[in-house]
Amino acid sequence: MEGAEENPAESSSSAPRSEEPAGSAKGREVLPPEEPEGCARPLETTPKKLCGYLSKFGGKGPIRGWKSRWFFYDERKCHLYYSRTAQDANPLDSIDVSSAVFDCKADAEEGTFEIKTPSRIITLKAATKQAMLYWLQQLQMKRWEFHNSPPAPPATPDAALAGNGPALRLELEQEEAELEEFLCPVKTPPGLVGLAAASQPVPTMPLALQNISLKHLGTEIQNTMHNIRSNKQTQGTGHAPPGEDSPLSEEPQSEEQPSSPDPGTPGLIRNRTAQEKVLALEQQVLMLTKELKAQKELVKILHKALEAAQQEKRVSSMYLAAAEDKDRLELVRHKVRQIAELGRRVEALEQERESLVQTASLQEQQVQELQQHVQLLMDKNQAKQQVICKLSEKVTQDFMRPLATPDAANRDFLSQQEKMEHLKDDMEAYRTQNRFLNSEIHQVTKIWRKVAEKERALLMKCAYLQAKNCQMESKYLAGLRRLQEAMGGEASECSELLRQLIQEALQWEAGDSSADSVVLSPVRVPLTRDFAGSEYDEYGFLTVPNYEVEDLKLLAKIQALEVHSHHLLAHEAVERPLRERWAALGELAPSAELKQLLRAGVPHEHRPHIWRWLVRFRVQHLQAPGRYQELLSRSQACKHPAARQIELDLNRTFPNNKHFTCPTSSFPDKLRRVLLAFSWQNPTIGYCQGLNRLAAIALLVLDEEESAFWCLVAIVEVIMPADYYSKTLLASQVDQRVLQDLLSEKLPRLMAHLGQHRVDLSFITFNWFLVVFADSLISNILFQVWDAFLYEGTKVVFRYALAIFKYNEEAILRLQDGLEIYQYLRFFTKTICNSQKLMNIAFNDMNPFPMKQLWQLRTAHRERLEAELHELEQFKAEYLETRTCQGPAVPESCTSEDEGDLEA
């Protein structure tokens, strides 16, 4: 119920009420007792004094809640005053009703309503819904009367008033009768509103302290002292109970006020029986007891503050009284510890404040949106208010206008009735139109949803057809290759035709013929065009490597088609849910969920951020501000012995990546600086072949030299075992032997087959471990391996090495020649296209894979290898010692070069 939308009937009631005599100083509306019986008001309108107990919501901290307050209305100022009890001498505060808006929300607690002024919002609660409606109706009428009543007329002789009395009373009676017909007033709740409510007991609160207003503590103390003095006077003189002479308003009585007590004050109710007085005294004693308890609680709080101050004073006195500097120093240290503790608490509170500020900003945005919505509703309400005001003015004019002839009145009544009928018809038409528009909106929404679902289904079907097309192309190319191998050089014409078909397949590019499918496909792999016209993935690797041998070109084309096919088929089922999980992931922290997400692969847009966190997590104990710049300065000032080897390896780094082959690219210079800085960071290693590819992978993802440098430090010095990149490559050799044991355990058939043909896998797998598959796997699988490797360590490298052999186990078992097996193992990692299948083999089929077993195997093989190397060193030393003892042996028939020179 908005106060702005006033009932037209309320405006009509302002005219007769504004003609009351000026002698009613405090807005009393009780008519003289001599009023004729025919003009008597209904019983529902009494009592005329607007006052009673309401619950007010307010306070701060632990005492915030509902507080019982006595409210009374002052018509001269149009203010609603309130105090804690009806007997208080001074009110706590007042509410300006003249500019207030009243609101009663449907979803609020029963009896709750709000009074909104330009400066604040006051939430009140009545005991019943009827009492709430009565207060709202009366406050609206008081506000309307205050704004529309003319100033009090000057005093007139009693004879004039007596002469106009009957006519005035008749007019008032007619207007009020018409008002009651138009708007049924709410019946006065018995015992809840009016002077009778003051004799009722004060509503009890859960805590006595909760009902005290700390904001107006001075007024509370004055009222308490006033009640105590009144109580003492009453007990001493036997007069009426305390509070009977307490005014309900802070306004002083005017001089025109009669000397008799104010009939609106509850303390001046006369002819009260002795039993009622006793009840009032008991109620007063109970109220004073509760107030005393509240005052005691307040005193306890003040005592605590005083004790804290005394404690501080004692500490200061101890400091001043300390005889030795040692004692003073201990006191100072104690204070420093307290200050540090407070500092930590302040930091925690600051973090909490920042989170609250962020929450507040979000809520502020929501508030702005709601304010815009409220502004629209206010504009609409303003328009309605203007219409209501116009209608109210018209109704008021009609009521004030002298009655015309009966015929004219009937004609006006008929015309008004006809207009009402037309308005009802218009309302019914608008309702019908609204229902029709709602049905139209519902139908359009259903059609839109069906179209969206159909579009999604078509896009998925398009992706599926593209995947099938890629599969058919790869099968076609594989068939051409097998046919060419089977025919050999038997039929020259057929061989020439096959070579021509293969050449066309290799040179074919997705151009105009596939333009439509590229537009329709929502999961098209993002490709870019290099200056040479080749296609690259998001990290700059060629999707189809430019091999010189035609068979390898054909295999690379088949592989690219299969990769694209797997990507299209897995997008909806795997990649989209994975991206949603990464987007919903909050602050990064080590957890089982993060491990599973990293094993499944990090999306391209999140990978730089995730890798930076992983590197910082690994090397946070090694990082120092400005360390990288210091190493760069040292490399520029002094040339490192490994600089020449670094320059040689720069040109051999990823020849299939445009970032390292383009003459204008900045990546080679970045890679040079990273490797030189690392050579000074770790002088025991300096530089080892393979570090260039590790740093290059880090640069492709992180794109920052310093981040790539610390990534290389994390791999070499933290993740990999010691001596992995040393001159002897001791730990690398140990891992090759560990891999042999794990292969014998997990894939016994394959190892037996390789052992039968005397195939040494270390020739193939040694480089896998040294560069973490950088030269072996295609880019999308390679970066997925690195995602898990940076988090879990070298265990991931063993898992994927076993998974690669498991993935191609059947193909290797079909080969029956050692040389053929070696040729197949050179490129078989490039044939792996299904990253999801490889990941499932690595982390599911290879289980159990305990880290304890890995460390035990490493320890055992390291001891054996060190023993072998020690034995080899002994053999070498013995050999050198034997050569030294024998000396240079020269046959007698031969002369040395020196002797020949002398003879010459």
Side-chain angles (χ1 to χ4, degrees), residues 182 192 237 256 365 424 493 672 798 823 871 886 894:
F182 188 80
L192 298 178
T237 60
E256 293 97 4
Q365 295 177 358
K424 289 180 180 179
E493 295 181 1
R672 179 188 296 107
F798 283 99
Q823 290 178 350
E871 185 178 358
Q886 291 177 354
C894 298

Side-chain angles (χ1 to χ4, degrees), residues 535-806:
E535 293 181 342
Y536 295 85
D537 63 8
E538 59 267 22
Y539 292 106
F541 287 98
L542 279 169
T543 56
V544 181
N546 189 17
Y547 296 114
E548 296 180 359
V549 183
E550 188 176 284
D551 289 346
L552 294 180
K553 282 186 180 180
L554 189 58
L555 287 174
K557 182 71 174 181
I558 294 172
Q559 179 201 15
L561 291 171
E562 290 182 358
V563 169
H564 188 45
S565 173
H566 286 300
H567 176 72
L568 291 172
L569 292 175
H571 182 270
E572 289 294 328
V574 179
E575 292 190 9
R576 179 173 293 180
L578 182 62
R579 289 178 183 273
E580 292 175 356
R581 289 179 64 187
W582 275 107
L585 188 66
E587 185 178 355
L588 294 175
S591 62
E593 181 185 5
L594 180 62
K595 178 192 285 188
Q596 295 300 324
L597 286 174
L598 289 171
R599 287 180 174 183
V602 183
H604 172 65
E605 60 272 16
H606 298 290
R607 183 165 283 140
H609 169 64
I610 300 299
W611 279 29
R612 288 190 184 93
W613 180 83
L614 291 172
V615 171
R616 188 166 56 253
F617 179 74
R618 290 282 188 180
V619 298
Q620 56 186 352
H621 62 288
L622 299 175
Q623 277 185 321
R627 175 63 176 171
Y628 178 68
Q629 299 299 328
E630 177 186 350
L631 295 172
L632 283 183
S633 302
R634 187 182 301 177
S635 65
Q636 292 174 0
C638 181
K639 187 176 181 181
H640 197 277
R644 184 172 179 275
Q645 186 62 40
I646 290 173
E647 290 295 332
L648 292 176
D649 286 350
L650 284 179
N651 298 326
R652 295 197 288 255
T653 303
F654 294 141
N656 291 325
N657 190 291
K658 67 177 183 179
H659 294 300
F660 294 98
T661 56
C662 178
T664 59
S665 176
S666 61
F667 275 77
D669 294 332
K670 292 181 180 179
L671 181 59
R672 179 188 296 107
R673 288 191 289 269
V674 169
L675 294 175
L676 287 174
F678 180 80
S679 64
W680 288 105
Q681 163 75 12
N682 194 331
T684 58
I685 296 176
Y687 175 75
C688 176
Q689 286 187 349
L691 297 183
N692 59 323
R693 281 163 284 182
L694 296 177
I697 292 292
L699 273 174
L700 289 175
V701 175
L702 301 174
D703 196 38
E704 297 177 0
E705 293 181 31
E706 187 170 359
S707 300
F709 166 75
W710 287 114
C711 182
L712 183 60
V713 172
I715 295 172
V716 177
E717 299 185 5
V718 181
I719 299 177
M720 291 298 192
D723 298 333
Y724 217 85
Y725 298 95
S726 62
K727 294 181 180 180
T728 60
L729 300 175
L730 180 63
S732 302
Q733 298 181 55
V734 169
D735 277 358
Q736 295 308 305
R737 299 189 179 189
V738 173
L739 179 63
Q740 297 284 340
D741 291 350
L742 294 175
L743 282 170
S744 300
E745 177 188 349
K746 304 291 184 182
L747 304 173
R749 289 176 57 227
L750 178 64
M751 288 303 293
H753 180 72
L754 295 175
Q756 181 181 357
H757 295 283
R758 298 181 180 179
V759 176
D760 187 2
L761 291 179
S762 61
F763 290 110
I764 306 298
T765 59
F766 190 85
N767 192 54
W768 294 0
F769 283 72
L770 203 62
V771 298
V772 195
F773 304 103
D775 290 330
S776 306
L777 297 173
I778 59 176
S779 61
N780 62 329
I781 301 179
L782 172 65
F783 288 105
Q784 184 174 342
V785 173
W786 274 59
D787 293 336
F789 164 72
L790 290 176
Y791 184 73
E792 300 183 52
T794 54
K795 187 178 179 181
V796 174
V797 183
F798 283 99
R799 281 185 176 272
Y800 271 99
L802 296 172
I804 289 171
F805 283 108
K806 179 66 176 177

